Amino acid sequence: MSVHTVTPRERLDDPAGPAASTAPARRARKGHRSPTPSSSGPGTELMLTHPSTHVPDAPSYRSAWVRPAATVFVVGWGANMFASLLHSYADLSGVRADGLFGAYALGLIPALLIAARVSDRIGRRRALLAALLLSALGSAVLLFSDGAFGTILTGRILIGISAGAAFGPGTAWIKELSDTAQTRGRGARRAAVALTAGFAAGPLLSGAMVQWLPAPRTTSYLVHIGLVALALPFVLRAPEPGRRGTGPGTRRTAAGRRAGSYLTSRAFLAAMVPTAPWVFGAATVSFTALPALVSLGDFGPVGSGIVAAVTLGTGIAVQPWAGRLARRSPAAPFRTGMTAAIVGMLLAALTAGTGSLVLLMATAVVLGAAYGILLVSGLRLVESLAPPQHAATASAVFYSLAYTGFAFPVLVQTLSSVWSPVTVLLAGAGLATVAMATTFIAWPHVGRSPRTPAPGAPSAPAPA
């Protein structure tokens, strides 16, 4: 007679809670067994589970990550659709327009750091429900702004707070529902795809609305509010892992290290800090700064939406490649991503100098590749460095660094009034070169076997 013990996954969806699921196991250790059928024989398994325990079938459990991913997608949609809607605000241009686009980072970065820690205590579901409601509120404020700069700014900051409340906890939740010992790294890629897909779909479809539909702002904001309403049931029905401890006993890892020690590791300081701003820096230069420097004719709204979709769509397409690079060495995806950023900034300078639409699209592809590789590689690196109970906080720290890249278009616009845009973009390529050089400090030796990864190296992911 074999004994089947309750696994963490079986406890996850137990309606009676973890205590109910573990009670029979405690009784078994004391010598008590649950009743067995009278026909039990040598091949009969004894199930040490609570009678009300529901063990989800594997396929439905494996797809549970889609539910928090839907929230990340919808919030990302609302955050980035403003890139195309800017064309509908006739009195906004130049630095003010780019400033409004990046203004939501003012709410996002502090919200990221706060919401991540809060979600570790109150649970992922509550954090993401609050994020969805704030995202809808932000769109409602923008809907009724009537073009007033101060009201638009308020709406964008609310959107930023919602994004901060969603992206850190949402990424951690997707990982918790995706990763096992055999599939470590799969959750980081799924989270990156969900975020990027929302970022791409928002400006593409809102750009089409601005280009061809009446009352485009009203339509775009109402569509987003409707998507929020559709996403709410997904969050409510998603299985949520038990809250990990946050008391004194979890301040150190099993190895005796302080939980925040990854913030002072060489991989974090020399690779993560210099390269993370280029995640969104590369992307926003492509679909925010360049469309303002290259004439799109009568198709400005939909054209900028297409540039955003090409940039971010490329970011999704290259993410599996980033996983294969990580299996070669921990440094490979970072150096490849920064090489793409350098080449992309050089192409951006050439595009600004010539005004070529062909070069604009080529630049979007190259900078999109830089964005996608650096995004998923950064998420995997913080996942490998931080202890599991601080996954949301570690993701939030990475996103906070990455979102400083939203200042890049504002810097391009501001500095272009002093120097030519070509000079400014060439200087950006120089800064990207410096950032890539720091990866040689983080990983001075490469070529390690995947079986013996370097410290801070992300584990090889299983194919999604």
Side-chain angles (χ1 to χ4, degrees):
M1 179 181 296
S2 60
V3 177
H4 173 78
T5 58
V6 182
T7 68
R9 283 195 173 183
E10 290 171 330
R11 293 191 192 110
L12 187 62
D13 281 350
D14 185 358
S21 298
T22 56
R26 289 195 298 266
R27 288 196 299 268
R29 287 194 294 269
K30 295 177 182 178
H32 299 286
R33 291 186 174 180
S34 301
T36 59
S38 58
S39 58
S40 60
T44 304
E45 289 191 339
L46 180 62
M47 301 296 291
L48 298 179
T49 59
H50 191 276
S52 64
T53 298
H54 169 67
V55 181
D57 57 71
S60 66
Y61 186 87
R62 285 198 298 266
S63 65
W65 66 271
V66 174
R67 296 171 183 178
T71 300
V72 172
F73 172 85
V74 169
V75 174
W77 174 304
N80 215 35
M81 68 179 182
F82 199 72
S84 294
L85 288 174
L86 275 172
H87 293 271
S88 69
Y89 295 93
D91 56 337
L92 297 177
S93 60
V95 176
R96 291 183 83 197
D98 288 340
L100 278 176
F101 177 73
Y104 94 116
L106 296 176
L108 179 142
I109 292 176
L112 269 170
L113 298 174
I114 295 170
R117 297 183 68 85
V118 169
S119 79
D120 285 338
R121 290 170 170 79
I122 68 171
R124 312 298 188 212
R125 181 179 290 107
R126 291 181 182 178
L128 264 68
L129 285 173
L132 281 172
L133 295 176
L134 279 172
S135 186
L137 177 62
S139 282
V141 170
L142 291 168
L143 175 62
F144 295 107
S145 67
D146 197 28
F149 182 84
T151 310
I152 297 173
L153 181 63
T154 301
R156 287 295 293 164
I157 291 175
L158 283 173
I159 291 286
I161 295 173
S162 74
F167 295 160
T171 296
W173 200 358
I174 293 169
K175 289 178 182 178
E176 289 162 355
L177 295 177
S178 298
D179 290 349
T180 65
Q182 291 76 34
T183 62
R184 187 176 173 88
R186 177 182 289 178
R189 195 169 89 190
R190 286 172 171 174
V193 168
L195 175 67
T196 305
F199 277 173
L204 178 63
L205 296 181
S206 64
M209 294 175 194
V210 172
Q211 187 74 51
W212 291 301
L213 293 183
R217 282 181 291 191
T218 300
T219 305
S220 297
Y221 294 133
L222 287 177
V223 166
H224 176 243
I225 293 171
L227 288 173
V228 169
L230 291 175
L232 286 171
F234 281 85
V235 179
L236 291 170
R237 296 173 184 171
E240 185 174 18
R243 299 174 201 168
R244 293 186 170 97
T246 55
T250 61
R251 289 177 185 170
R252 293 180 179 271
T253 63
R257 296 182 293 109
R258 289 196 62 82
S261 62
Y262 65 94
L263 296 175
T264 58
S265 67
R266 185 169 65 181
F268 183 87
L269 293 175
M272 183 68 67
V273 173
T275 64
W278 286 97
V279 173
F280 292 115
T284 54
V285 164
S286 175
F287 63 74
T288 303
L290 285 182
L293 298 173
V294 177
S295 175
L296 298 176
D298 295 331
F299 297 96
V302 72
S304 62
I306 290 172
V307 172
V310 169
T311 303
L312 299 166
T314 303
I316 293 175
V318 300
Q319 286 174 16
W321 185 38
R324 290 193 288 272
L325 288 171
R327 289 196 288 272
R328 289 173 48 190
S329 79
F334 288 91
R335 292 173 187 167
T336 303
M338 288 311 304
T339 299
I342 295 167
V343 174
M345 293 300 288
L346 293 173
L347 283 173
L350 187 59
T351 302
T354 61
S356 169
L357 294 178
V358 174
L359 281 175
L360 175 62
M361 299 309 294
T363 304
V365 170
V366 177
L367 288 176
Y371 159 82
I373 293 171
L374 292 173
L375 175 62
V376 73
S377 300
L379 286 172
R380 281 175 168 157
L381 180 59
V382 294
E383 179 186 61
S384 68
L385 292 174
Q389 66 268 25
H390 294 282
T393 302
S395 296
V397 170
F398 167 71
Y399 279 129
S400 298
L401 291 169
Y403 268 101
T404 61
F406 266 76
F408 285 23
V410 179
L411 291 174
V412 171
Q413 281 283 349
T414 303
L415 296 176
S416 292
S417 63
V418 181
W419 300 286
S420 71
V422 173
T423 302
V424 173
L425 292 168
L426 287 175
L431 292 174
T433 303
V434 173
M436 188 186 70
T438 63
T439 65
F440 290 91
I441 300 174
W443 296 290
H445 305 291
V446 296
R448 294 176 184 266
S449 167
R451 294 183 181 179
T452 56
S459 302

